[in-house]
Amino acid sequence: MEATRMGFGGLSVPLSLTPNLSLIPQRLLDKHNLSLKPVKIHHLVCVRSTKSSDDLETSRPSTYFSPSLWGDHFLSVSLDHAEFVELEREIETMKPLVKDMLMSSQSSDKEKIRLIHLLVSLGSSYHFDKEIQDILKHSFTKLDGIIVEEDDLETISIMFEVFRLYGHKMSCDAFDRFRGGDGRFKESLAKDVRGMLQLFEVAHLGTLSEDIMDEALRFTRNHLESLTSGNVSSASPHILKHIQNSLYIPRYCNIEVLVAREYISYYEQEEGYNEILLKFAKLNFNFCQCHYIQEIKTLTKWWKDLDLASKLPYIRDRSVESHLGGLGPYFEPQYSLGRIIVAKTIMIIVVADDTYDAHATIPEATVLTEYFQRLNIGADDKLSGYLRIVLESVFEVMGEIEQEMSPKGRSYSVKQVLERFKIIAKAYKQLTEWARKGHVPTFDEYMKVGLVTAGMGDYAGYCFIGMEDINEKEAFEWLNSNPLLIDALNVLFRIANDVGTYEVHRKS
């Protein structure tokens, strides 16, 4: 079977996937007319009103989101099981060849680390995780000797990135050698385009106390932007394109599999690329891609069977987009179930979110919150109408996920996610009250609630459910301790989200 069938092609065939459709083969989209329609976006806009308090509390926003761009398209996409089998067979056939390169006694420590970096960039490193861990553990014990006379910016940056990615804290002091007598990075470094690009990427791995990494980020960004904006450049076109992509979305602000997809295109244009590594990376991506398509098919059918889009016409219908949320924490094929669980959880929580934000009156939001605190609907409860549909859907979906994970000994994670949802439901209710009553909170008031609804901790909890190689109780003990990392992510998400929606609203 030729690898072209899933989009990449043989070694002599150029890649045909376009960046904005990079995770879905073009051949599966040719028969689907994707017409982008304006999306009606509901914003939390607080305004003073002359209406009475009773009128405000019973007011209901008339907000409806645009239908799904994808519809049921993926239900008509056929995937041949033999394609999975053949891709897996080819990958297993090539793995020993790549492993031999990695473990070669003829390669120096630097060469092995550069190869590890290449495998990470190509999205193939997970196949050799144990071997990589062993190599780096051994190399880190003699790191000072390895880098003592190294003055190549790209090499030092690659080593810094690889060691930090795998949990070895290589000191940023290694970059002092690239500073001049004034303590600033030497301007002569700007001539080293590859080194500058690599330093730009790894500068995102610095900690708050590592000022040199902040300086490196400013220094490299200024020079790289100048390079890409000039009319004349000594850098190759494919390198310039790679720089532009990195400046637009740096590697560590992007989804790993999307980075790998772009890097494969870049690597194929490099002089002297390794054909074995390139073919292995393409096969691996195509294998992952098959899984993603099957997962989207599963989610599309599941969502259609729930039929919530017709029962609750005000909610967002975004199954394909929710699947992308599951690709963030883990893109590897073995986490297929995890991605489906993350997507399902996102979709069903969005049902509740949209109910509070785009439909419920204050009394309805109060009732909804009370039931979410109980996490069930009693047999004698006379709850009716759309609120019962919302609550039953959330409880049933999470119950089904718990039932599926229980035989694996992982029902604890689902219970914890629901416990956390009690907190976010109260925050949703607060936002509903502000919006319906026209109350304009202070910045501090808003951020106290807004950081809860940012939901980065909740998202981490969704990801823990399907991450079967971790201790779920330890993971949630850490998560429930309110770690600074989650606080920082909530701030970043909340502000970025609000600025983004404000810009859209201002232009509409």
Side-chain angles (χ1 to χ4, degrees), residues 2-20:
E2 294 181 359
T4 52
R5 294 184 61 189
M6 289 309 296
F8 270 123
L11 295 179
S12 61
V13 180
L15 302 183
S16 59
L17 296 181
T18 55
N20 61 323

Side-chain angles (χ1 to χ4, degrees), residues 31 66 80 105 121 151 188 211 252 273 380 426 449 467 483:
K31 296 181 181 180
S66 293
D80 186 356
S105 60
S121 300
D151 60 359
S188 59
D211 295 339
Y252 294 104
Y273 67 80
D380 297 330
K426 291 180 179 178
V449 177
M467 201 178 293

